[in-house]
Amino acid sequence: MSDVGHENGNNNVPSRQRRRFPGISSRAYEHPADRSALVALRKLSGFDTVFKALSGLLPERSLRLLFLSDSVRVSDQQFSHLNDMLRDACYILDLEKVPPMYVTQDPQPNAMCIGLDEPIIVVTTGLVELLDEEEMRAVVGHEVGHALSGHAVYRTILLFLTNLALRIAWIPLGNLAIMAIVTALREWFRKSELSADRAGLLVGQDLQASMRGLMKIAGGNHLHEMNVDAFLQQAEEYESGGDLRDSVLKILNVLPRSHPFTAVRAAELKKWSETRDYQRIMDGHYARRSEDKDTSVSDSFRESAASYASDVKSSKDPLMKLVTDLAGGAGGLGGRVRRGFEGFTSAPSANDQEPRDQSPKDQNPKDQGPTDTAPDSDD
């Protein structure tokens, strides 16, 4: 029997033993890019006051009333198994106040955590019907992770700004300014999803269940027809396959999204589960909430920059490899750039052709000098 809920006298809890993380700070599991943004925002004087003042402009009250009136609120009497998971997740991550949770009729598998003053969690019937108990537990932990990090506040702001951009689309400069902010927020939010995936793993403590859940969200309820390892191979192929054209298309495809692609999320979560950081958390060594006020903004930004640099350096994406080579001063890049983009245009003209190395007999002795005859390297 799990120790979760025993201290509160609640025996209606899941039966599996799981580690608990008293006083854990969200910094322990947050992606560096997500963490640096959150640390900076939390340090801003009056930040909470400003956003609460904005709550009058946001549809938060309307959303609460909508879900209260037209969805099913999770409790001991309704969706009790989800209620157990929710309390379990809050206990494991030591979230004092359990956020309200609603199940809403929607065949599209989805879940979200929204709200300024008090976050609420919403899951769709499509998701509830799609996932088994352990997969659903990871999703609930994911949403509780959003609540612990304070992501619900920023997601609500993102929804507001996106709607605002649509309303003022007829004002060119105003729309551009809003969309620039929205684009930056989406990049941050994609990283926040990776953070929440990690929180889901800390709650469920079952990597295979987390992987299966993501795979089902991508491919539906046909688990007997799918394979986690093959799904992860897709992520590897997506990351390393193609040429520079594909790299550009990847960027264009992901820009309007608030979530990373599902196969990429699965690969990122598996990679994090194999790190020393994850193992240290599981061993009880993690950042504490009591230390949040002493966190350095500059240190957080340095960690974020280092993370991006490491991602670029280790990436197998053709564009990222090119960036790494440029930064390292590698030679022979002109041909690689041209070949990478050959498919965007028609066949290259004569002026675009790379000059062939002249043999010694074709060269003017006065013009001879050291030449680079090594083939272009893919490293």
Side-chain angles (χ1 to χ4, degrees):
M1 194 74 175
S2 170
D3 62 349
V4 176
H6 281 200
E7 294 179 7
N8 296 326
N10 174 30
N11 292 320
N12 186 23
V13 294
S15 59
R16 188 183 144 211
Q17 185 85 17
R18 290 180 176 81
R19 293 181 180 86
R20 185 177 178 248
F21 309 103
I24 189 172
S25 168
S26 59
R27 292 181 294 111
Y29 59 79
E30 285 164 352
H31 186 281
D34 175 29
R35 182 167 60 241
S36 64
L38 292 174
V39 167
L41 289 172
R42 290 165 186 155
K43 291 285 185 178
L44 289 177
S45 178
F47 170 75
D48 291 337
T49 303
V50 171
F51 273 132
K52 285 181 180 178
L54 282 173
S55 64
L57 302 175
L58 299 171
E60 180 178 358
R61 286 182 178 273
S62 175
L63 286 173
R64 288 180 182 279
L65 290 172
L66 175 64
F67 290 121
L68 185 62
S69 63
D70 204 33
S71 300
V72 175
R73 184 165 58 192
V74 170
S75 66
D76 285 332
Q77 292 78 37
Q78 302 185 119
F79 290 101
S80 59
H81 71 293
L82 294 181
N83 195 46
D84 291 340
M85 291 181 195
L86 177 61
R87 288 185 297 190
D88 196 28
C90 291
Y91 188 79
I92 289 173
L93 294 180
D94 201 14
L95 186 65
E96 291 184 7
K97 189 170 183 179
V98 179
M101 183 175 178
Y102 293 89
V103 176
T104 189
Q105 173 64 33
D106 187 342
Q108 182 72 27
N110 197 13
M112 59 181 173
C113 181
I114 56 175
L116 287 174
D117 291 324
E118 296 181 3
I120 61 175
I121 295 173
V122 181
V123 297
T124 65
T125 52
L127 189 68
V128 174
E129 293 164 3
L130 176 66
L131 304 182
D132 67 24
E133 182 175 343
E134 292 305 308
E135 296 157 4
M136 193 67 198
R137 188 183 306 281
V139 169
V140 173
H142 174 110
E143 300 305 328
V144 170
H146 276 314
L148 181 58
S149 289
H151 290 153
V153 173
Y154 316 119
R155 182 185 179 92
T156 307
I157 296 296
L158 175 59
L159 291 172
F160 168 70
L161 289 175
T162 302
N163 290 333
L164 179 62
L166 294 175
R167 292 178 183 178
I168 65 171
W170 58 277
I171 307 176
L173 294 180
N175 185 52
L176 287 175
I178 293 294
M179 287 311 299
I181 298 173
V182 168
T183 299
L185 278 172
R186 281 176 178 158
E187 165 59 16
W188 158 77
F189 201 79
R190 286 190 291 270
K191 295 300 185 289
S192 78
E193 286 300 316
L194 301 181
S195 299
D197 284 343
R198 297 174 180 183
L201 179 58
L202 292 177
V203 167
Q205 298 174 25
D206 185 340
L207 179 62
Q208 287 301 309
S210 293
M211 297 287 100
R212 289 197 313 270
L214 289 167
M215 185 172 64
K216 281 185 175 181
I217 290 172
N221 192 18
H222 302 281
L223 192 58
H224 64 288
E225 297 283 356
M226 298 184 287
N227 179 276
V228 170
D229 291 334
F231 188 59
L232 292 172
Q233 288 174 7
Q234 289 181 219
E236 172 72 15
E237 183 178 342
Y238 173 82
E239 170 70 14
S240 59
D243 52 27
L244 292 179
R245 292 169 297 169
D246 297 299
S247 298
V248 172
L249 291 173
K250 290 177 192 176
I251 295 172
L252 295 177
N253 284 340
V254 81
L255 277 179
R257 295 175 59 93
S258 61
H259 288 57
F261 293 114
T262 316
V264 174
R265 288 172 61 185
E268 287 288 335
L269 184 60
K270 184 175 187 299
K271 184 166 63 175
W272 184 71
S273 73
E274 296 168 348
T275 64
R276 179 59 181 157
D277 289 341
Y278 171 73
Q279 190 56 55
R280 282 180 58 80
I281 295 175
M282 297 304 294
D283 291 340
H285 306 292
Y286 48 81
R288 309 276 170 160
R289 244 168 278 168
S290 58
E291 304 163 351
D292 284 351
K293 62 181 183 300
D294 302 320
T295 306
S296 167
V297 176
S298 58
D299 287 346
S300 297
F301 275 109
R302 277 194 291 269
E303 290 176 8
S304 176
S307 173
Y308 273 114
S310 176
D311 288 345
V312 170
K313 187 175 181 180
S314 62
S315 176
K316 298 178 182 178
D317 180 83
L319 180 58
M320 295 301 102
K321 289 175 68 176
L322 177 61
V323 169
T324 302
D325 288 345
L326 283 170
L333 291 173
R336 291 176 60 190
V337 173
R338 181 185 64 77
R339 286 194 298 275
F341 285 98
E342 275 179 349
F344 278 125
T345 60
S346 57
S349 64
N351 293 332
D352 293 330
Q353 300 293 331
E354 290 184 272
R356 295 180 179 177
D357 292 331
Q358 292 177 306
S359 63
K361 67 179 181 180
D362 294 330
Q363 294 177 339
N364 187 323
K366 294 182 181 180
D367 296 331
Q368 286 187 15
T371 59
D372 181 8
T373 59
D376 292 334
S377 169
D378 288 332
D379 298 328

